[in-house]
Amino acid sequence: MHIATQAVQIGLEWDTRTGAVTVPIYQTATFRHPGLGQSTGYDYSRSGNPTREALELGIARLDGAARGFAYASGMAAIANLLLLFKSGDHLIVTEDLYGGTCRLFDRIFTQYGLTFSYVDTSDTHAVSAAIRPATKAVFVETLTNPLLKFADLPAISTVCKAHGLLLIADNTFLTPYLFRSLDLGADIAVYSATKYLAGHNDTVAGLVTVKDPALAELVYFHQNSVGAVLGPQDSWLTIRGIKTLGIRLDRQQENAGRIAQWLTTHPRITKVYYPGLKDHPDHDLMSRQARGFGAMIAFEVDKHELVEQILLKTSLISFAESLGGVESLITFPEVQTHADIPPELRARLGINNVLLRLSVGIEDCDDLIEDLRQALEG
Ligand SMILES: *Cc1c(COP(=O)(O)O)cnc(C)c1O
């Protein structure tokens, strides 16, 4: 079955008693036991809640995983995954990393004896070269933030298998609709479902999928032990969002392709990062491995003063953090999303004071281009 169809079907079979088409919101903390030593399959909502379970099963199906898990946020999901490691373990991580993930790794998990090497994971040799005896895993953002570099996951997976390393893919920017990370070699996929999966800028959520059943059991043990689970209302909103994943992403990508092309022709734009553009270094690889190029664009303007002008003057496009929703958003990574990346690393990566990041929504594309044009031309 096509993934767009699978997405629409989430939760449909859930309520066999009434036949409700959408999964009910089981807003309950606990469940009555039928008798001593008996359970309906649900005991307490941290351990399992039917609304959350519908979402967890749904995302597992979309990714072709053994199991899925829903957390209170993308960060909670990533933090839970790091509990798979012990003091002394070393992880190789994408250098062009989401700021919050970098903060979690460097400021919190280093205190528990984990060490991290940041490398350009779009360069598989750089990944191999960073392997040490203590290395246990590679953590890759499939399409990076904000500079939109694409990793060759099958190649990295070959390296990981040869060295017995776990491969974890943060597939937030592409989702299962555009990129099948588990099929292409990842052991675990993680999502900030806040972004494209929920897709409406209305809830914060995290999802994890795990390919191997035994590893999934361990991830469940951590999920239940720590308890950073997604509540029933937010699980329901996330399911509702996922149902339209295919149609939203089709429109968002189409808009993004046109806007990226238009930006390349504007005299005040000096650089455009979008993998759908033919001159993007990962364009060919991504054409082969992914079903599209996503809907995030980064671009540089010719003067820093223009950054403030654009952020103030865009009216249809909101100046706000986050991404992936139906509403277009623009942000300034250097001081917003990526403020927690060390300044030297930011400079080396190209996250500078003329770089803006655009999350393209589902509005009419002509309106979006007109909004950018008037903001650029003041
Ligand atoms: C937003 C984001 C996260 C963090 O997710 P939250 O839901 O905000 O906690 C992690 N990784 C990437 C790539 C993100 O964009």
Side-chain angles (χ1 to χ4, degrees):
M1 199 192 295
H2 194 282
I3 200 154
T5 312
Q6 270 178 340
V8 179
Q9 299 285 314
I10 294 181
L12 201 67
E13 82 281 21
W14 208 261
D15 192 353
T16 49
R17 193 171 68 83
T18 68
V21 169
T22 59
V23 63
I25 302 172
Y26 287 88
Q27 191 65 54
T28 184
T30 191
F31 301 83
R32 284 188 296 162
H33 300 304
L36 195 61
Q38 293 173 15
S39 166
T40 59
Y42 301 99
D43 303 314
Y44 185 62
S45 276
R46 168 160 44 70
S47 310
N49 175 283
T51 315
R52 191 177 91 222
E53 203 177 319
L55 170 62
E56 291 177 329
L57 254 171
I59 190 69
R61 279 191 197 149
L62 295 190
D63 257 344
R67 285 180 75 172
F69 302 95
Y71 299 87
S73 69
M75 292 321 308
I78 294 172
N80 258 260
L81 289 179
L82 284 211
L83 303 178
L84 294 169
F85 306 102
K86 296 191 173 59
S87 178
D89 288 352
H90 169 252
L91 284 85
I92 298 168
V93 183
T94 299
E95 62 178 0
D96 177 10
L97 193 70
Y98 175 70
T101 307
C102 187
R103 176 177 58 202
L104 178 74
F105 289 2
D106 273 3
R107 310 245 316 256
I108 299 180
F109 278 98
T110 49
Q111 298 184 89
Y112 298 93
L114 298 187
T115 55
F116 303 91
S117 294
Y118 295 91
V119 307
D120 178 355
T121 49
S122 69
D123 174 1
T124 307
H125 298 293
V127 175
S128 301
I131 296 172
R132 305 176 188 167
T135 307
K136 289 291 178 331
V138 178
F139 183 100
V140 170
E141 284 186 8
T142 52
L143 187 62
T144 69
N145 175 14
L147 295 173
L148 305 162
K149 289 184 176 175
F150 182 68
D152 186 348
L153 214 64
I156 295 174
S157 162
T158 304
V159 171
C160 286
K161 289 209 168 73
H163 292 85
L165 312 181
L166 208 60
L167 178 54
I168 303 173
D170 181 336
N171 196 27
T172 297
F173 272 37
L174 292 172
T175 80
Y177 183 62
L178 298 180
F179 188 68
R180 310 275 303 169
S181 58
L182 297 191
D183 289 349
L184 291 173
D187 299 295
I188 297 176
V190 58
Y191 301 94
S192 169
T194 313
K195 317 293 170 56
Y196 290 100
L197 288 168
H200 291 72
N201 291 320
D202 57 8
T203 187
V204 171
L207 291 170
V208 162
T209 56
V210 184
K211 193 151 66 180
D212 174 65
L215 185 60
E217 198 51 45
L218 185 57
V219 171
Y220 173 70
F221 174 72
H222 291 151
Q223 184 199 35
N224 185 39
S225 301
V226 173
V229 292
L230 193 63
Q233 305 265 352
D234 288 322
S235 295
W236 187 88
L237 271 174
T238 306
I239 291 170
R240 214 256 300 255
I242 291 175
K243 284 174 179 279
T244 55
L245 180 68
I247 198 166
R248 281 187 284 111
L249 268 168
D250 286 347
R251 171 65 167 254
Q252 283 172 283
Q253 290 201 111
E254 189 188 320
N255 283 354
R258 274 188 62 201
I259 291 169
Q261 198 64 51
W262 179 81
L263 286 169
T264 62
T265 64
H266 197 281
R268 307 222 42 197
I269 306 290
T270 51
K271 209 181 236 177
V272 181
Y273 298 91
Y274 182 64
L277 295 172
K278 293 223 163 40
D279 62 356
H280 187 283
D282 303 321
H283 176 80
D284 291 339
L285 181 66
M286 204 168 170
S287 305
R288 290 196 299 276
Q289 293 184 358
R291 155 193 260 285
F293 303 103
M296 296 299 298
I297 301 171
F299 60 95
E300 286 184 9
V301 293
D302 61 2
K303 274 207 203 69
H304 176 61
E305 294 72 67
L306 195 51
V307 165
E308 192 164 4
Q309 177 181 318
I310 293 172
L311 295 176
L312 282 173
K313 292 218 162 166
T314 44
S315 59
L316 193 58
I317 302 169
S318 301
F319 171 29
E321 284 174 50
S322 201
L323 59 107
V326 291
E327 299 92 355
S328 294
L329 304 179
I330 192 162
T331 188
F332 181 39
E334 188 185 48
V335 298
Q336 308 281 328
T337 49
H338 289 66
D340 285 302
I341 303 268
E344 324 77 65
L345 181 59
R346 267 202 319 252
R348 183 158 61 77
L349 295 175
I351 303 171
N352 55 36
N353 73 352
V354 290
L355 183 82
L356 288 164
R357 186 189 78 184
L358 181 62
S359 168
V360 180
I362 63 166
E363 300 90 342
D364 185 279
C365 195
D366 292 334
D367 291 335
L368 293 175
I369 290 177
E370 178 50 29
D371 196 36
L372 286 168
R373 194 198 55 75
Q374 61 81 29
L376 272 159
E377 289 165 16

